[in-house]
Amino acid sequence: MGCENCGAKNQTHAQFCKTCGKKLSAGKDDAGSVDLYFKNKENTCQHCGKTADLKKVIFYKNIGMVFQRSYKRIEGRFCRNCIDDYFWNFTLTTLFLGWWGTISFFVTPIYLLNNTGRYLYSFIDK
């Protein structure tokens, strides 16, 4: 179902637009409010969409090549499973492929320490 306000596609049973929050005309009557919708959206993992306890993390991945390097950064509020997935993916890729090249040789240990520190910090409850 498309939103009349912003044109975003929504699920057929949706009551509010997932993008702008406007009430959809074909949705059920009043089962909730826009404020409640966006409050629940704050507890939704940015990767998998599950509602859970979230932590904000930043992970880096470095792939060294002889004359250049490829790097990627992921930042967001993720659930525990997605944090684990991103940490192991980014850190193991950097560990095995990050050393090739002069710049990468010096950047890789920094990225590995950064990822490990942020991963361990994500276990601390605030």
Side-chain angles (χ1 to χ4, degrees), residues 103-121:
I103 295 173
S104 291
F105 185 78
F106 294 103
V107 170
T108 295
I110 296 168
Y111 280 13
L112 292 173
L113 289 172
N114 176 68
N115 287 353
T116 304
R118 290 179 188 265
Y119 180 71
L120 294 175
Y121 187 73

Side-chain angles (χ1 to χ4, degrees), residues 11-125:
Q11 296 177 353
T12 55
H13 62 279
Q15 297 176 20
F16 299 97
C17 176
K18 65 182 178 182
T19 304
C20 70
K22 186 165 178 120
K23 184 171 173 119
L24 299 173
S25 60
K28 295 179 184 172
D29 292 338
D30 274 338
S33 69
V34 175
D35 294 332
L36 179 63
Y37 173 81
F38 281 108
K39 182 178 181 194
N40 290 337
K41 190 91 168 148
E42 291 175 3
N43 294 330
T44 303
C45 177
Q46 292 177 328
H47 178 71
C48 67
K50 291 181 184 175
T51 301
D53 291 333
L54 306 177
K55 297 285 183 170
K56 182 177 180 185
V57 293
I58 303 170
F59 292 125
Y60 297 91
K61 176 170 40 175
N62 182 62
I63 299 174
M65 296 171 259
V66 176
F67 296 110
Q68 64 183 25
R69 69 186 187 100
S70 171
Y71 61 92
K72 183 176 180 181
R73 169 188 161 148
I74 189 74
E75 178 179 3
R77 294 174 45 85
F78 303 115
C79 66
R80 172 58 45 206
N81 290 337
C82 293
I83 289 173
D84 290 343
D85 290 345
Y86 276 125
F87 170 74
W88 289 111
N89 180 337
F90 278 41
T91 304
L92 290 176
T93 301
T94 301
L95 179 65
F96 291 111
L97 301 176
W99 302 97
W100 307 103
T102 307
I103 295 173
S104 291
F105 185 78
F106 294 103
V107 170
T108 295
I110 296 168
Y111 280 13
L112 292 173
L113 289 172
N114 176 68
N115 287 353
T116 304
R118 290 179 188 265
Y119 180 71
L120 294 175
Y121 187 73
S122 72
F123 285 101
I124 298 173
D125 289 331

